[in-house]
Amino acid sequence: MFSSRHPETLKGLVDELGPLARVGTVAEAVEFGDVVMVVVPYTAMEQIGRDYGNALANKVLVIDVSNPIERRDGAEIVKWVDDHGGAGLATAKYLGPHVVRAFNAIGYAKLSTDAHRQGELVGVPIAGDDAHAIDIASSLIREIGFDPVVIGGLAMGKYLVPGTPLGGEHRRPKSGRS
Ligand SMILES: NC(=O)c1ccc[n+]([C@@H]2O[C@H](COP(=O)([O-])OP(=O)(O)OC[C@H]3O[C@@H](n4cnc5c(N)ncnc54)[C@H](OP(=O)(O)O)[C@@H]3O)[C@@H](O)[C@H]2O)c1
């Protein structure tokens, strides 16, 4: 289920994806999914936490793709996030303990060509505190043709922001170490 506060705008996208794809409101998507992916400007996080934080805390996995970016979201929110341990720990304050940060620094336009790449898969660094949530995230990421690389707990989530060393695309080191 793809959601928007204006679900009618997603009809064209979902029609192209086939019969299993559906459109819903944000509330319907939160209700529908065992796994919920949150891909919003970081300024929306507080309101989403207020409205859906309890429901999201009960999901097995909440994938946080969102980043606090000063030029878009403002200096105040970036400072708030920094003061709360960075994106990751800050997101978990709003969305609960099953947050895993993933896909934060791969541009959306590259996902379809990067997926299932021949040879070495594209690595997706992920960070989370909940082992079960990490396991589910890892298997979903493998299923869609990427190589999940756990870099640590949510405190490491702040390094999964564009412009930090783990932003952009990476391959697993030749030794196979992650
Ligand atoms: N674009 C990329 O390639 C990319 C890559 C990696 C990470 N990210 C991160 O992903 C996040 C979204 O980026 P984007 O480029 O997709 O930005 P965007 O187009 O501005 O935002 C995505 C969607 O968020 C929804 N949204 C905004 N406020 C909301 C709220 N209060 N409740 C529910 N939904 C809300 C909007 O949907 P409606 O208005 O339809 O409700 C909007 O279409 C950012 O934090 C960004 O840093 C983006």
Side-chain angles (χ1 to χ4, degrees):
M1 180 177 287
F2 291 80
S3 87
S4 161
R5 293 165 301 173
H6 317 283
E8 66 285 355
T9 60
L10 298 179
K11 190 173 177 320
L13 167 79
V14 167
D15 284 350
E16 281 175 21
L17 291 173
L20 292 179
R22 289 165 56 184
V23 173
T25 63
V26 179
E28 285 168 339
V30 170
E31 167 77 23
F32 173 81
D34 296 322
V35 174
V36 177
M37 196 163 200
V38 180
V39 194
V40 295
Y42 212 90
T43 42
M45 206 60 92
E46 183 177 4
Q47 174 255 306
I48 291 172
R50 206 170 40 242
D51 294 347
Y52 306 107
N54 288 342
L56 292 172
N58 288 317
K59 300 292 167 184
V60 291
L61 167 63
V62 177
I63 302 179
D64 174 26
V65 185
S66 314
N67 298 303
I69 306 279
E70 184 167 334
R71 70 176 183 284
R72 182 191 58 206
D73 302 324
E76 199 181 321
I77 198 157
V78 171
K79 181 176 180 324
W80 186 90
V81 170
D82 287 347
D83 289 347
H84 288 80
L89 289 172
T91 303
K93 279 192 182 300
Y94 291 130
L95 308 189
H98 304 132
V99 167
V100 172
R101 280 181 63 74
F103 290 109
N104 304 88
I106 299 183
Y108 76 94
K110 296 217 68 191
L111 289 175
S112 60
T113 48
D114 279 354
H116 297 288
R117 183 146 72 197
Q118 295 296 315
E120 283 174 292
L121 294 172
V122 172
V124 175
I126 65 176
D129 284 344
D130 183 78
H132 187 49
I134 286 277
D135 282 350
I136 298 169
S138 300
S139 72
L140 290 173
I141 290 167
R142 274 187 217 101
E143 207 172 293
I144 63 166
F146 292 87
D147 182 16
V149 181
V150 181
I151 62 154
L154 280 174
M156 293 290 283
K158 63 185 173 189
Y159 297 112
L160 302 184
V161 172
T164 63
L166 284 171
E169 294 191 4
H170 300 274
R171 306 286 181 284
R172 193 175 278 276
K174 286 277 182 247
S175 65
R177 284 180 298 115
S178 47

